[in-house]
Amino acid sequence: MITIGSVKIDIHEKERALNGRYALDSADGVKRLLRDYHALCERRYKGDYAASDILLDLHTAIERAGLTNRQRLALRLVFVDDLTQTDAGIALGRLTGKQSSKQTVNRLIAVATAKIARVFESWARMGEGYSLTVNETEGER
C-alpha cells in the first residue's frame, strides 16, 4: 500500500479572506464589495480565482435580487462608471426621464444593496459557501 502525503496548500484561503472582508449578508458589506469592483476585476484578469468567484456570485445575486431598472442603473453609474451620486442623479434623470437627486440615488443604492445582501444571506442559510455575519438574535428583536 502506498501512502500519499497530505497537501499543505490551503486552496480556499483567498476565498475565505474575501468572504471575511465583505460581510455580504449586510448592505454595508455589499457596498464595500461594489466599491472594490474595479480592483476585483483587475485581480480576476491576473488569475485570482477567488476574485472571479466573488464577482460571478455578485452578478448572480444582482440578477436574483429583483432590482428595479432604476436601482440597477444607480448601481452601475456609481460603482461601475465611477460617477458621483450627484452626477449619477443627473445621468439617471436623462436615461429614465425622471429627475433624480443625489438623495434619490443614495436611496436607490441603499435599497438595492439591502436586496442583494438578502440573496447572499439566503445562500449562507442554505450552506452555499457564505457564512452569516449578522447576529441572528438582533434580527429577532
Side-chain angles (χ1 to χ4, degrees):
M1 180 173 192
I2 300 174
T3 305
I4 299 175
S6 63
V7 176
K8 304 246 184 219
I9 299 171
D10 183 356
I11 61 173
H12 299 290
E13 178 182 8
K14 284 184 181 179
E15 200 172 313
R16 277 195 310 280
L18 283 175
N19 292 343
R21 178 175 177 165
Y22 307 110
L24 295 174
D25 58 348
S26 73
D28 288 337
V30 172
K31 285 179 191 173
R32 190 175 305 117
L33 175 62
L34 287 166
R35 280 193 296 272
D36 289 348
Y37 181 80
H38 292 292
L40 287 166
C41 286
E42 187 175 318
R43 288 173 58 179
R44 178 183 65 186
Y45 290 122
K46 291 181 178 179
D48 185 339
Y49 293 115
S52 294
D53 288 344
I54 204 161
L55 286 171
L56 185 61
D57 287 349
L58 174 64
H59 288 286
T60 303
I62 289 170
E63 288 299 315
R64 294 184 180 177
L67 304 181
T68 66
N69 288 335
R70 292 184 74 211
Q71 290 167 345
R72 284 176 190 272
L73 265 172
L75 289 177
R76 192 195 82 211
L77 292 168
V78 172
F79 296 108
V80 177
D81 297 343
D82 287 330
L83 296 180
T84 66
Q85 288 186 358
T86 302
D87 290 340
I90 294 166
L92 194 61
R94 286 185 192 138
L95 292 169
T96 63
K98 284 185 169 182
Q99 187 176 1
S100 300
S101 65
K102 175 183 176 180
Q103 292 80 12
T104 301
V105 172
N106 189 29
R107 182 182 47 78
L108 290 168
I109 289 172
V111 172
T113 54
K115 287 180 176 181
I116 295 166
R118 283 195 295 272
V119 172
F120 279 107
E121 181 182 356
S122 72
W123 288 343
R125 291 187 187 284
M126 292 186 298
E128 294 292 325
Y130 289 95
S131 58
L132 291 173
T133 55
V134 176
N135 187 347
E136 291 186 38
T137 58
E138 289 177 8
E140 294 173 359
R141 292 180 186 177

